[in-house]
Amino acid sequence: MAIDTSGVKLEDRPFEQVKEQAIDQLIMNYSHGVLSAEAFERRLDIATEATDHQQLVDVVADLSLQPDSQYQQQRERSFSPRYQAGEDKQNENIISVLSSNQHSGQWLVPAEITVVNILGSVELDFSEAIFQHQHIVIRVNNWVGSLSILVPEEINVVSNMFNIIGSSENRAPSMSGRQAPKIVIEGYSVLGSLEVSLKRTVKEKFVAFANQFRDMFGMGKQ
């Protein structure tokens, strides 16, 4: 049995913990050539969309390989936010008037970001960003503009926006661990829009990591 069902009753265990075990098991077996790419993605769909413990047990019941220390180290590097010590960057002002402004790549994230957006568009992409602070505040003054914030799933996001004939949508769930950066968005939007979304879906990130880990063993993509 791939997931140990002895000890604490399965249904009494934290569901997300069991789901993580199942997904790790799938990636480990796929990376070692036990599963085909088609079977891996089909089972990954089942695991990521599962609603009860038994579905997770069943999807890995015939798999024998268990994640080892090398797997855990690689997973930690791939799924942990980037922190870097050095010169402490506290504040940054982003002003966009009838123009566009984009932050992406490995940019250094300050403790506080002030965005003034007037008839413009601003995109803040945190997917490869380097953090020095665990708590980041984004203060927004948005007038007839659009603000897009892209984050990886290991970052927590909380939105406290006030909208006047505008819209705010946060599609990034705050479910990461206690060591993950927390981004708090506050301010107002007048006739404008704010959208917070994942840079890529959780499934897409698992598939990319699985292929990366597979390459380490010279298996290549199928």
Side-chain angles (χ1 to χ4, degrees):
M1 183 68 69
I3 294 178
D4 185 9
T5 56
S6 63
V8 177
K9 289 193 301 183
L10 187 66
E11 59 269 24
D12 289 342
R13 300 180 193 176
F15 182 74
E16 291 301 321
Q17 185 181 87
V18 179
K19 177 182 285 190
E20 182 177 303
Q21 291 174 0
I23 292 172
D24 286 344
Q25 187 100 29
L26 290 172
I27 294 173
M28 185 69 181
N29 282 267
Y30 168 65
S31 66
H32 285 74
V34 177
L35 290 173
S36 68
E38 294 78 11
F40 168 65
E41 292 204 33
R42 184 180 69 251
R43 294 191 187 205
L44 184 61
D45 282 335
I46 295 171
T48 54
E49 297 171 9
T51 56
D52 64 68
H53 294 74
Q54 192 59 47
Q55 288 177 289
L56 299 171
V57 170
D58 293 343
V59 82
V60 296
D62 58 345
L63 303 178
S64 58
L65 285 179
Q66 299 284 345
D68 54 18
S69 58
Q70 183 182 18
Y71 174 88
Q72 297 297 349
Q73 291 171 5
Q74 188 68 21
R75 192 186 199 283
E76 183 69 21
R77 285 193 291 268
S78 297
F79 286 84
S80 297
R82 295 180 177 89
Y83 280 103
Q84 175 179 301
E87 183 180 353
D88 192 0
K89 189 176 182 182
Q90 290 291 330
N91 302 289
E92 181 172 349
N93 295 321
I94 298 174
I95 300 175
S96 181
V97 180
L98 291 169
S99 60
S100 61
N101 195 310
Q102 181 184 49
H103 275 39
S104 61
Q106 296 187 4
W107 58 292
L108 194 61
V109 180
E112 184 175 312
I113 302 171
T114 299
V115 177
V116 178
N117 187 23
I118 304 173
L119 292 166
S121 65
V122 175
E123 179 181 279
L124 302 178
D125 185 348
F126 291 92
S127 57
E128 297 181 18
I130 299 172
F131 293 87
Q132 290 185 308
H133 308 273
Q134 197 169 355
H135 186 82
I136 298 98
V137 177
I138 302 177
R139 305 190 189 281
V140 177
N141 300 320
N142 188 31
W143 293 80
V144 202
S146 65
L147 172 59
S148 174
I149 298 176
L150 303 174
V151 296
E153 66 277 356
E154 64 267 16
I155 293 177
N156 295 315
V157 180
V158 177
S159 178
N160 298 319
M161 287 288 294
F162 178 70
N163 298 294
I164 303 174
I165 320 181
S167 64
S168 294
E169 186 171 8
N170 183 4
R171 298 179 181 175
S174 296
M175 298 174 62
S176 298
R178 288 180 296 176
Q179 299 304 315
K182 179 179 180 180
I183 297 175
V184 178
I185 307 168
E186 56 186 41
Y188 60 87
S189 181
V190 180
L191 291 168
S193 65
L194 164 67
E195 181 177 354
V196 182
S197 58
L198 293 175
K199 176 68 173 184
R200 53 183 175 179
T201 66
V202 175
K203 178 188 173 182
E204 288 171 339
K205 184 151 189 174
F206 281 135
V207 170
F209 170 67
N211 286 321
Q212 176 189 1
F213 196 60
R214 185 182 175 88
D215 289 343
M216 291 176 57
F217 295 98
M219 301 297 295
K221 296 180 180 179
Q222 295 182 342

